[in-house]
Structures are given as C-alpha cells and as structure tokens.
C-alpha cells in the first residue's frame, strides 16, 4: 500500500504508524512525503512538474491501497495534497485510472481537529472514483492515534484492494 503524508511532521509520524502496522500484517508499504517531491505550484502556464510527479505516479501505479495522512488547513485540504492531485490530473496519460476504484483510507493529525479535512478529502476522492473507507483515524496533540483503528483500517483497506497484476486481493 502507498501511504502519503502531507507534512514532514506529525502526519509523517502517522504515516509511519500505518506502514509499521502494514508490515506487522505482512504487507508491503511505501511511505511518501508529498513535500519531499517538491512539486511546483500548479499553474496552467507551467508545463513541467519535475521528477517528483513521475515518482508519485509510479507509486500510485505500483500500489492499489492508498492512505492519505493530512492536517486540516483552514478547515480543508492542505495545498500540497490539492497541488499533487492537480498535477496528476493534467500531466498523466490516464488520470482517472489512478483513482477510479482505488480503496483509500484517510487519517489526520491536526491542531484543527481533523474532521473537516477528512470530509473534504472524502468528497474530492469520491468524486475521482475512489472507494473511501467510512472509518478514519483522527489525532491531535491531546489525543494520540488509536493503534486499533490503524490496524482495522489497514485490514479493511487490504480486503478491498482489487486484483492487481494478476494477484487476487486478500479477503
């Protein structure tokens, strides 16, 4: 599974907790920090996103299950997440194939509570055709992420992964 972090702080820690749980369950997991990809701000006048976009696209093609860990920014999605989706939508051969039918789990470590960002991501990813799990993981500085919720999401995400590269999904 691919686990994206919108930050290099607490959400990256949350992403690593998902990766550790996936490994514990015997699954391959790759953590990718969106800030590290250094995608330029999407602008219709800019035609090249650089090597970071190719790395993200390849990771999405390689992994079916997706976890996105992102803080709440002004009651919504952090710009780095929206920017990555914008670049994918205009710079890849088959943008819809990257999201259509893809099982996605959402998580947030946020000072703003995290409920609004998960709602906004759920709406956007559902619009793109992803299968967004109903349960999510929310953490704050006062409330740590529940390890049992992380384990349950990893299990559910894996069960929903469609057959990929000829290998049937675990059920």
């Amino acid at each position: 599974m691919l686990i994206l972090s919108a930050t290099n702080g607490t959400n990256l820690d949350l992403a690593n907790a998902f990766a550790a749980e996936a490994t514990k369950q015997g699954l391959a997991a790759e953590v990718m920090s969106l800030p590290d990809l250094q995608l330029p701000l999407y602008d219709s006048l800019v035609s090249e996103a650089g090597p970071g976009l190719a790395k993200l696209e390849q990771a999405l093609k390689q992994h079916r299950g997706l976890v996105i860990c992102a803080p709440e920014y002004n009651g919504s999605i952090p710009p780095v997440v929206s920017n990555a989706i914008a670049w994918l939508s205009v710079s890849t051969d088959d943008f819809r194939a990257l999201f259509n039918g893809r099982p996605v789990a959402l998580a947030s470590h946020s000072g703003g509570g995290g409920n609004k960002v998960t709602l906004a991501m759920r709406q956007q990813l559902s619009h793109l055709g992803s299968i967004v799990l109903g349960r999510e993981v929310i953490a704050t500085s006062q409330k740590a992420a529940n390890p049992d919720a992380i384990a349950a999401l990893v299990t559910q995400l894996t069960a929903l992964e469609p057959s990929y590269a000829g290998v049937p999904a675990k059920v």
Side-chain angles (χ1 to χ4, degrees), residues 5-6 9 34-35 38 41-42 50 92 102 104 106 111 122 152:
S5 175
L34 290 175
Q38 297 184 338
L41 180 62
Y42 175 74
T92 57
R102 180 179 301 275
V104 179
L106 302 175
R122 178 179 309 285

Side-chain angles (χ1 to χ4, degrees), residues 91-165:
S91 299
T92 57
D93 292 335
D94 190 358
F95 166 67
R96 291 279 180 202
L98 295 176
F99 292 95
N100 242 350
R102 180 179 301 275
V104 179
L106 302 175
S108 178
H109 189 289
S110 184
N115 291 315
K116 291 178 183 173
V117 67
T118 56
L119 181 62
M121 286 193 298
R122 178 179 309 285
Q123 182 178 12
Q124 184 173 36
L125 292 163
S126 293
H127 173 78
L128 296 174
S130 297
I131 301 165
V132 184
L133 301 183
R135 186 175 188 175
E136 54 210 21
V137 171
I138 303 286
T140 67
S141 59
Q142 290 82 35
K143 178 184 162 261
N146 180 341
D148 293 334
I150 291 172
L153 281 177
V154 168
T155 299
Q156 187 178 11
L157 191 63
T158 304
L160 289 175
E161 287 184 358
S163 294
Y164 189 66

